[in-house]
Amino acid sequence: MRRRLALAAALTAMAAAQTAAPAAQAGDLDALIGRALFRRAWIPGTASATANDGLGPLYNARACSACHQGLDGRPVAVAPDGRVTGENLVLRLSDAAGAPDPAYGRQIQTAGVPGVDPEGTVRRDGNGRYHLADSAYGPPAAGVRVGARAAPPLRGLGRLAAVPEAAILALAASQAGGGLRGRAHRPEGPEGPVGRFGAKATAATLEAQVATAFALDLGLSTAERPAPGGDCTRIQAACLAAVRGDARPEIGAALVRHIARYLASLEPPPAPAPDPAGERLFAEAGCAACHRPALPSPDGPVRAFTDLLLHDLGPDLDGGATEPGIAPTEWRTAPLWGLARRLALGAGLLHDARAAGVAQAVRLHGGEAAASRRRAEALPEAERARLFAYVGSL
Ligand code: HEC
Ligand code: HEC
């Protein structure tokens, strides 16, 4: 696997070098290789050819781009009987403390290599909520809950990576004691860096997020997540039997870096035309306190409309599954840049794509955001429409 990957990467690099502008820098070349890896469909290993099991044994999709098609977020495809047919929505599982299910692990994998049955399918009910169906190992363990996560847009993440940690911590400190209690999350432990990526800020770097995707979504191991069977658990005999591999990660560190470099090279969504009235309403309703219109960075302001902090948004946004140290109702303030494009594509909003538009997303804001929601909903109708139109133009 490793030799094949190295060869594939080298061939990709050569092809990229031929088509890229002559002035391409080394960093651009890394990003081009990363783009090819992002689009690559991984395959299961074959016993004769590889030391590793390759894709899976359990997985959700074969390529990053299968879920992040187009990079802007997409609607979740659902059959008339409610079965989710698209890959871009996954079900996570955990107990209230964030511990995974003993049989299913952290995520329901809806596909398996030959001989390994999928863990189940995902279904949407009449309320737009997602559930586990056709579960291969019976119901999840007592106390374990399931929650859906939709694949988010990926543009501009390099800009979020560039926001100094001190700026994030200063925002958290400025909120302490008020109705807002945003907090920085440190996924690698109390001494580790602040999390910025993922709906619960569980990855401090793009590399960490890429490694998580390889483990949970594709069943491929990396140095950061070395388990060769991905999310396969001790109870899953067929999955365990299909795991092959020596101690080496299936995906080498250089490949993780190339993909991170590709993600970092993606420009942020275009800024909207100035709209002073909309901006004023956004600030007056208190939206801007969490959805900060600009964060500082060495390369200039980052206009992502987030504070990168976790906030408790109350019971309507209880996501079921969570991560250790994070309440099921806590979420990283979702960046709002690129919303216009996502709405045009018909992609749903919020962590589980439940909201069809801005008004519905705001209606579900409770907890720390309840006062802001009330202010927005108390606006005279024309001003409220103005506010929501502004948000939808970002
Ligand atoms: C099966 C679908 C699926 C596949 C395959 C997949 N992702 Fe994702 N991705 C998601 C979902 C769902 C989330 C949101 C998870 C969360 O926030 O908890 C996500 C989140 C992310 C984020 C965080 C974005 C942000 O705003 O913080 C990045 C970066 C990312 N994915 C990159 C990748 C890369 C790189 C790959 C391939 C190695 C990949 N993804 C494969 C579904 C997928
Ligand atoms: C206390 C902090 C806070 C305040 C105040 C707040 N939000 Fe949010 N907002 C969040 C968080 C956290 C999320 C992510 C929730 C989720 O994914 O379930 C979010 C998500 C959203 C989304 C969905 C974005 C997406 O990517 O799916 C929209 C739209 C939105 N907020 C608009 C607003 C507007 C408009 C206001 C003011 C009326 C507002 N918010 C006030 C924290 C806040």
Side-chain angles (χ1 to χ4, degrees):
M1 181 95 187
R2 212 188 217 179
R3 291 242 307 274
R4 270 210 335 261
L5 288 182
L7 182 64
L11 288 174
T12 312
M14 281 164 58
Q18 279 164 15
T19 50
Q25 303 292 308
D28 300 335
L29 201 56
D30 286 352
L32 282 169
I33 298 170
R35 185 178 69 182
L37 293 166
F38 185 84
R39 294 175 177 177
R40 183 192 156 114
W42 301 91
I43 52 165
T46 53
S48 55
T50 67
N52 290 306
D53 56 71
L55 179 76
L58 287 166
Y59 61 95
N60 289 91
R62 302 173 73 112
C64 307
S65 57
C67 297
H68 296 288
Q69 204 190 357
L71 304 169
D72 292 303
R74 311 278 298 179
V76 179
V78 182
D81 68 353
R83 198 166 59 86
V84 171
T85 53
E87 292 157 317
N88 62 332
L89 181 123
V90 302
L91 287 184
R92 295 271 175 82
L93 314 91
S94 84
D95 67 12
D101 183 77
Y104 295 99
R106 293 208 157 277
Q107 184 164 303
I108 296 294
Q109 278 84 26
T110 50
V113 299
V116 181
D117 289 338
E119 292 181 324
T121 55
V122 185
R123 277 177 194 271
R124 184 160 76 185
D125 66 19
N127 299 321
R129 308 302 304 275
Y130 297 90
H131 306 274
L132 172 60
D134 310 317
S135 46
Y137 299 86
V144 169
R145 295 193 301 155
V146 172
R149 306 280 178 87
L154 297 184
R155 295 189 197 277
L157 300 182
R159 305 289 291 123
L160 291 180
V163 174
E165 191 162 302
I168 305 173
L169 295 175
L171 278 176
S174 74
Q175 293 180 6
L180 285 188
R181 296 176 306 278
R183 66 180 183 99
H185 175 62
R186 296 181 189 274
E188 296 165 30
E191 307 300 319
V194 166
R196 309 164 181 243
F197 303 108
K200 287 187 178 283
T202 43
T205 61
L206 285 170
E207 283 82 356
Q209 181 74 40
V210 172
T212 301
F214 272 123
L216 290 185
D217 301 326
L218 301 160
L220 287 159
S221 58
T222 55
E224 294 91 336
R225 300 229 173 201
D231 196 34
C232 154
T233 64
R234 279 185 299 173
I235 293 172
Q236 296 177 311
C239 186
L240 286 176
V243 170
R244 264 194 324 282
D246 46 29
R248 286 178 309 178
E250 291 165 307
I251 304 294
L255 303 196
V256 172
R257 256 197 329 272
H258 290 329
I259 298 178
R261 171 75 205 135
Y262 163 60
L263 293 173
S265 76
L266 297 170
E267 292 291 327
D275 173 4
E279 288 162 27
R280 181 177 54 77
L281 289 165
F282 190 73
E284 284 174 6
C287 314
C290 296
H291 297 285
R292 307 283 303 189
L295 293 175
S297 92
D299 313 318
V302 182
R303 304 192 188 283
F305 296 88
T306 176
D307 55 7
L308 293 173
L309 300 174
L310 290 182
H311 294 274
D312 193 326
L313 257 59
D316 281 349
L317 288 176
D318 180 335
T322 188
E323 309 276 340
I326 303 176
T329 49
E330 280 186 304
W331 302 99
R332 175 196 64 166
T333 303
L336 300 181
W337 59 7
L339 217 61
R341 177 106 182 93
R342 287 166 65 199
L343 290 169
L345 287 167
L349 303 183
L350 301 171
H351 64 273
D352 58 359
R354 192 192 321 173
V358 175
Q360 198 186 349
V362 170
R363 209 175 308 134
L364 292 163
H365 278 50
E368 290 174 47
S372 171
R373 181 201 69 224
R374 281 195 294 269
R375 249 177 279 161
E377 290 180 347
L379 287 171
E381 195 172 327
E383 295 205 331
R384 191 169 63 240
R386 188 78 210 250
L387 168 62
F388 292 168
Y390 165 70
V391 175
S393 78
L394 297 176

